[in-house]
Amino acid sequence: MRCLLTRLLPGAALGLFALTAAMAAEDIVLRGMGSFHVGGRIVEVSGKPVRTIVRQPGGPPSQLDPNGQYMVEQMYVQYFLPKNRKGKLPLLMWHGGGLTGVTYESTPDGREGWLNIFIRKGWDVYNSDAVERGRSGFASPDVWPSEPTFLPYADPFERFRIGDGAGSWNADPAKRRVLPENQFPVEAYENYMKQTVPRWLTTDDAIIAAYVALVDKICPCVILVHSQGGAFGFKVAEQRPDKIKAIVAIESATAGIVGKAAALKNTPILMVFGDYVDQHPRWAAFKKIDLEYAAAVRAGGGKVDVIYLPELGIKGNSHMMMQDKNNSQIAEVIQKWLAGKGLSN
Amino acid sequence: MRCLLTRLLPGAALGLFALTAAMAAEDIVLRGMGSFHVGGRIVEVSGKPVRTIVRQPGGPPSQLDPNGQYMVEQMYVQYFLPKNRKGKLPLLMWHGGGLTGVTYESTPDGREGWLNIFIRKGWDVYNSDAVERGRSGFASPDVWPSEPTFLPYADPFERFRIGDGAGSWNADPAKRRVLPENQFPVEAYENYMKQTVPRWLTTDDAIIAAYVALVDKICPCVILVHSQGGAFGFKVAEQRPDKIKAIVAIESATAGIVGKAAALKNTPILMVFGDYVDQHPRWAAFKKIDLEYAAAVRAGGGKVDVIYLPELGIKGNSHMMMQDKNNSQIAEVIQKWLAGKGLSN
């Protein structure tokens, strides 16, 4: 084994962004805020052998008996209820893969994220961490027989249309090949990577079950979904079409099940895509899947609007557009659509 | 392998607590709120063999190359800045082992936790998830060569002085042996267990490094620490005595390093203990360690106040007193002490 450890720059200058940005705007007046967990189950692990593990590197081996009852597959949700409520329904924000609800909080460079922005627009916002991520916790290998996966440092830079695809990352910031007019705060990329968390590839059913539990608790509602969260969002909506009154899908990474799309005939859908989607095969492929799903919804009598931001003259948006420098501009595009559907005063 | 899966009760009745409690109180007016990560490092994993893993149970084996750069050991912090600021310094809340900042949010039965309560008292509150827990994420076995540990369902009930020690848990709620005058919302124990997360036993140095990074970013400040968070808090304070202006230690589970305690001569300390501490050997042992540390601080010229809640006539408090039914009463005891030290208007 060989590990090269590189200390990061202290980043003190970046860190100050968070406070200055937050205090620049008007007060946020809440009639309530809090958190809760939904879903989950008690699992009883039994019949497993007692294992010998080393609890501390270099320390003595010790025994671990994994048998017993555990709480697993619950989901964490934090909510903020503005006093000046204008959204007619709760707005649920569901993040993408390898991330948590932090996606919607302060941006990596410390500006306000969509959580604050939509609270300020008068929405009751419920921001969650999908099962097995963040404050939802995760289960042991005795419950989930697969390993978590870890996101390499340069991966989102190349894959999320911050850099210009494979090979665009370089350890030297000056040599990174950033997309023209890129809106992502690349100078704070390190902070973005701090937001990432491991994920499993085998927990989709548990994640969907917890989202359904959330919908059953809080909705009728609007859901705003991003990337992998879209794959979950559309499938949950197919199961609870009467409770999900609108879907805003930000570059949904796969969508619902085409054969069930007609369930959404009464649920207006907005799909939003950033810049350079067609130039990057991975995103072109996701877009194709989304549009095929949109066609199926329409064929079932539903309504889907698709916005390509560059067609509105909004250029350079990455896959993480809720953190991009023009994130408030995009939030306003979404707000206008929601208001047009009669969902906000 | 044999796994018995037990579906939980939907718990809809419990779930509603969160909303009703939050809306009963006065508005929360914030001049800002947001989140950030501190600390962390980029680790380069190299020379590791490519492993064959099964990504989906029953699926085909696939290759996993763990080599490359990863962001690890960062810490998540969420902050709320009340408009009517009365606390003279930021108040940092550090949770205990197997938990996250959720400890201080809504209680398992949906009342307001100390996060809301101290915001309402006018404190700028910074609530964090220790490294490797919650929204801080965790590192791969290639970086941390030990396994996480998972908390069995009944364990905190018996260990945290909710029930009367070992053997007090029973699957049948009617047969659980709860301590007399117990203040923990036992009817919501299931929700409490949903707050728990796995933890490692080998990450103390990384956790302390991230807390030091937080202190360097935000302080001078007051820290409020609980259980394992106390072990970290006192050690961090020994490293940054000029930046930590007071410590409120809720049943600290071990304290600092006795030989370094004199560093805290100018940092007033409050230690708070709940009920039944002396009757339960584990807590009596922690109390003994804490008091020995307090003696060392005093010998170095420092000041430590110790409050045993039962001596104030406040009975039945568990180790999770910030979630107990009388949590606002205990918060007021702490607030009075802080005001007495000139730290709050």
Side-chain angles (χ1 to χ4, degrees):
Chain A
M1 170 184 164
R2 201 159 53 89
C3 283
L4 302 175
L5 311 183
T6 314
R7 275 276 153 203
L8 287 175
L9 292 172
L14 277 179
L16 286 177
F17 287 173
L19 302 184
T20 50
M23 292 190 292
E26 286 183 13
D27 294 336
I28 294 175
V29 184
L30 303 172
R31 63 186 201 282
M33 57 178 255
S35 66
F36 54 85
H37 285 78
V38 290
R41 60 191 172 106
I42 296 172
V43 55
E44 183 152 346
V45 176
S46 60
K48 291 274 181 182
V50 173
R51 289 197 291 271
T52 300
I53 66 165
V54 174
R55 291 180 187 269
Q56 300 190 301
S62 64
Q63 301 294 299
L64 175 74
D65 181 353
N67 299 297
Q69 285 190 317
Y70 298 90
M71 183 82 235
V72 301
E73 299 173 7
Q74 65 275 17
M75 182 171 74
Y76 170 78
V77 187
Q78 188 175 35
Y79 64 88
F80 299 90
L81 312 176
K83 183 180 178 75
N84 186 14
R85 188 177 184 183
K86 294 179 183 170
K88 292 189 180 173
L89 296 171
L91 177 62
L92 279 49
M93 295 187 175
W94 299 2
H95 63 78
L99 296 164
T100 69
V102 174
T103 290
Y104 297 108
E105 298 181 350
S106 304
T107 65
D109 58 337
R111 290 169 292 108
E112 291 200 321
W114 281 3
L115 173 64
N116 282 28
I117 289 171
F118 279 92
I119 292 169
R120 291 182 185 282
K121 289 180 187 297
W123 289 89
D124 286 2
V125 181
Y126 291 73
N127 189 25
S128 46
D129 294 351
V131 168
E132 48 103 323
R133 298 179 206 164
R135 289 172 162 180
S136 297
F138 59 93
S140 78
D142 299 302
V143 180
W144 293 342
S146 74
E147 297 184 37
T149 61
F150 298 83
L151 201 57
Y153 191 76
D155 178 285
F157 183 91
E158 298 190 337
R159 192 157 51 89
F160 288 177
R161 306 192 325 276
I162 300 168
D164 190 11
S168 60
W169 173 262
N170 192 294
D172 176 358
K175 292 182 180 168
R176 287 174 202 163
R177 212 167 64 243
V178 172
L179 280 165
E181 301 184 273
N182 163 66
Q183 293 277 4
F184 188 83
V186 280
E187 71 280 13
Y189 181 76
E190 172 188 309
N191 287 340
Y192 173 67
M193 285 310 297
K194 293 183 185 185
Q195 298 181 2
T196 64
V197 295
R199 56 173 285 220
W200 276 255
L201 302 172
T202 56
T203 53
D204 284 15
D205 290 348
I207 290 171
I208 289 171
Y211 278 133
V212 169
L214 175 60
V215 165
D216 285 343
K217 177 182 168 76
I218 297 297
C219 302
C221 62
V222 175
I223 62 172
L224 187 157
V225 297
H226 175 233
S227 198
Q228 186 198 30
F232 298 132
F234 285 111
K235 292 184 183 76
V236 169
E238 289 163 2
Q239 291 186 40
R240 296 291 187 273
D242 294 340
K243 292 188 171 173
I244 297 182
K245 299 300 186 184
I247 301 172
V248 177
I250 309 299
E251 297 195 359
S252 186
T254 86
I257 297 161
V258 165
K260 297 183 178 177
L264 302 186
K265 64 183 175 186
N266 296 319
T267 301
I269 295 167
L270 173 64
M271 293 181 174
V272 181
F273 296 92
D275 208 345
Y276 300 108
V277 167
D278 294 330
Q279 291 88 326
H280 287 87
R282 180 183 173 82
W283 299 107
F286 281 132
K287 184 181 123 183
K288 183 164 179 286
I289 290 168
D290 291 354
L291 295 184
E292 286 169 358
Y293 188 74
V297 171
R298 291 186 186 114
K303 179 101 176 64
V304 184
D305 296 314
V306 182
I307 291 179
Y308 304 101
L309 292 172
E311 292 184 359
L312 302 184
I314 302 174
K315 302 285 183 66
N317 280 109
S318 75
H319 182 55
M320 296 303 303
M321 62 180 74
M322 67 291 293
Q323 306 188 337
D324 282 349
K325 289 176 183 167
N326 61 342
N327 64 341
S328 62
Q329 183 183 22
I330 301 168
E332 191 51 38
V333 169
I334 294 166
Q335 173 67 21
K336 193 174 164 189
W337 183 85
L338 289 167
K341 297 295 172 189
L343 292 165
S344 179
N345 291 322
Chain B
M1 170 182 162
R2 201 160 51 92
C3 283
L4 302 174
L5 311 182
T6 314
R7 274 277 153 204
L8 289 176
L9 292 170
L14 278 179
L16 286 176
F17 287 172
L19 302 184
T20 50
M23 292 191 290
E26 287 183 12
D27 294 337
I28 294 175
V29 185
L30 303 171
R31 62 187 202 281
M33 58 178 254
S35 65
F36 55 83
H37 286 77
V38 290
R41 59 192 173 107
I42 297 173
V43 55
E44 183 152 345
V45 175
S46 61
K48 291 274 180 183
V50 173
R51 289 198 291 272
T52 300
I53 65 166
V54 175
R55 290 179 188 271
Q56 300 189 302
S62 65
Q63 301 295 298
L64 175 74
D65 182 352
N67 300 298
Q69 286 190 316
Y70 298 89
M71 183 82 233
V72 300
E73 298 173 6
Q74 64 276 17
M75 182 171 75
Y76 171 77
V77 187
Q78 188 176 37
Y79 63 89
F80 299 91
L81 312 175
K83 183 181 178 75
N84 185 15
R85 188 178 184 183
K86 294 179 183 169
K88 292 189 179 171
L89 296 171
L91 176 63
L92 279 49
M93 294 186 176
W94 299 2
H95 62 78
L99 296 163
T100 70
V102 174
T103 289
Y104 297 107
E105 298 180 350
S106 304
T107 64
D109 58 338
R111 288 169 294 110
E112 290 201 321
W114 282 3
L115 173 65
N116 282 29
I117 289 171
F118 280 92
I119 292 169
R120 291 182 184 282
K121 289 181 187 298
W123 290 90
D124 285 3
V125 182
Y126 291 75
N127 189 25
S128 45
D129 294 350
V131 167
E132 47 104 320
R133 299 180 206 163
R135 288 172 163 180
S136 296
F138 59 93
S140 78
D142 299 303
V143 180
W144 293 341
S146 74
E147 296 183 38
T149 60
F150 298 83
L151 201 58
Y153 191 76
D155 179 286
F157 182 89
E158 299 191 336
R159 194 157 51 88
F160 288 178
R161 307 193 324 275
I162 299 168
D164 189 12
S168 60
W169 172 263
N170 191 294
D172 177 358
K175 293 182 181 169
R176 287 173 203 164
R177 210 166 66 242
V178 173
L179 280 166
E181 301 184 271
N182 164 66
Q183 293 277 4
F184 189 82
V186 280
E187 71 279 12
Y189 181 76
E190 172 188 310
N191 287 341
Y192 173 67
M193 285 309 298
K194 293 182 185 185
Q195 298 182 3
T196 64
V197 296
R199 55 174 285 220
W200 277 255
L201 301 172
T202 56
T203 53
D204 284 15
D205 291 348
I207 290 172
I208 289 172
Y211 278 133
V212 168
L214 175 60
V215 166
D216 285 344
K217 177 182 167 77
I218 297 299
C219 301
C221 62
V222 175
I223 62 173
L224 188 159
V225 297
H226 176 231
S227 197
Q228 186 197 31
F232 298 132
F234 285 110
K235 292 183 183 76
V236 169
E238 289 162 3
Q239 292 186 39
R240 296 292 188 273
D242 294 340
K243 292 188 172 173
I244 297 182
K245 299 301 187 185
I247 302 173
V248 177
I250 309 300
E251 298 196 356
S252 186
T254 87
I257 297 162
V258 166
K260 298 183 179 176
L264 302 186
K265 63 182 176 187
N266 296 318
T267 301
I269 295 167
L270 172 65
M271 293 181 173
V272 181
F273 296 92
D275 208 345
Y276 300 107
V277 167
D278 294 329
Q279 291 89 325
H280 287 86
R282 180 184 173 81
W283 299 106
F286 281 133
K287 185 181 124 184
K288 184 164 179 286
I289 291 168
D290 291 354
L291 295 185
E292 285 168 0
Y293 188 74
V297 172
R298 290 185 188 119
K303 180 101 176 63
V304 184
D305 295 314
V306 181
I307 291 179
Y308 305 101
L309 293 173
E311 292 184 359
L312 302 184
I314 302 174
K315 302 285 183 65
N317 280 109
S318 76
H319 183 53
M320 296 303 302
M321 63 181 75
M322 67 291 293
Q323 305 187 338
D324 282 349
K325 289 176 183 168
N326 61 342
N327 65 342
S328 62
Q329 183 183 21
I330 301 169
E332 190 52 36
V333 169
I334 294 166
Q335 173 68 21
K336 194 174 162 189
W337 183 86
L338 289 167
K341 296 295 172 189
L343 292 164
S344 181
N345 291 323

